[in-house]
Amino acid sequence: NAGVMQNPRHLVRRRGQEARLRCSPMKGHSHVYWYRQLPEEGLKFMVYLQKENIIDESGMPKERFSAEFPKEGPSILRIQQVVRGDSAAYFCASSPDRTLYNEQFFGPGTRLTVL
Amino acid sequence: EDKVVQSPLSLVVHEGDTVTLNCSYEVTNFRSLLWYKQEKKAPTFLFMLTSSGIEKKSGRLSSILDKKELFSILNITATQTGDSAVYLCAPDFGNEKLTFGTGTRLTIIP
């Protein structure tokens, strides 16, 4: 029973390039959340998606960042024209189809380094 | 704005000691509170608390929630070096996202 999978685990980009981060939720989970963790800081919510729908993107920067969770395939977090301040660990979490409580399970994260 | 405060920010103890980690929150619409352990990788789920006064236990770890006073504690008894990590609490304010505290960095000295 595989957990949440993320790839790549490490990603290095130069300023101005694009970064694509992928997340496959646990089997049976249709809710995906993306969090960002800056060095020495806590986890901050970015976006919550269900299949083909963005439910809440209140934590995502308005420019350069986008997320999707297509009907088939993993969820993608896309960062265009990366800057040094985007260097962080990006974690994806998933939760089961709607239950009373929001128990989220995290993937191993993608560590993005912008040179 | 929903707010989460964890204390202490860091804690250094000797192996075998017992520690208590605190999490307090200000909330608009509380639904549950989750505890995670984070080593140099993904947060690992520990507990989810939904009801006041009911202790959840897993080995040497236990946790309890007080919904009236708006806090939770995480206890670790007979600590081991493998317990060294950052412990995060995350209330679920019923808006589908978890709001994380800054965490308590626990260091266990052999």
Side-chain angles (χ1 to χ4, degrees), chain A residues 33 35 37 40 43 45 48 56 58 91 98 100-104 106-108 111, chain B residues 31-32 34 36 38 40-43 45 48 50 88 92 95-98 100 105:
Chain A
Y33 311 80
Y35 293 84
Q37 188 170 37
E40 303 303 319
L43 286 152
F45 168 82
Y48 160 46
D56 182 349
S58 59
F91 291 98
R98 189 40 56 218
L100 182 59
Y101 300 109
N102 187 10
E103 188 174 343
Q104 297 182 17
F106 282 78
R111 273 160 181 77
Chain B
R31 188 161 65 173
S32 65
L34 290 80
Y36 290 87
Q38 186 176 28
K40 292 184 185 291
K41 48 184 179 168
F45 173 80
M48 181 171 68
T50 57
L88 301 165
D92 174 9
N95 55 6
E96 307 302 342
K97 59 192 179 190
L98 298 179
F100 283 87
R105 183 175 297 277

Side-chain angles (χ1 to χ4, degrees), chain B residues 4-72:
Chain B
V4 185
V5 177
Q6 289 188 246
S7 64
L9 290 180
S10 69
L11 185 57
V12 181
V13 300
H14 287 96
E15 205 168 17
D17 287 352
T18 293
V19 297
T20 298
L21 311 183
N22 304 289
C23 173
S24 64
Y25 55 91
E26 295 173 16
V27 62
T28 52
N29 185 27
F30 179 87
R31 188 161 65 173
S32 65
L33 185 142
L34 290 80
W35 281 97
Y36 290 87
K37 175 184 181 183
Q38 186 176 28
E39 298 166 272
K40 292 184 185 291
K41 48 184 179 168
T44 304
F45 173 80
L46 295 175
F47 297 110
M48 181 171 68
L49 304 162
T50 57
S51 302
S52 272
I54 298 174
E55 184 183 52
K56 289 224 173 174
K57 213 166 161 54
S58 176
R60 296 176 294 102
L61 278 66
S62 63
S63 185
I64 198 161
L65 174 68
D66 186 326
K67 287 163 78 169
K68 184 180 176 186
E69 300 298 329
L70 307 184
F71 76 90
S72 174

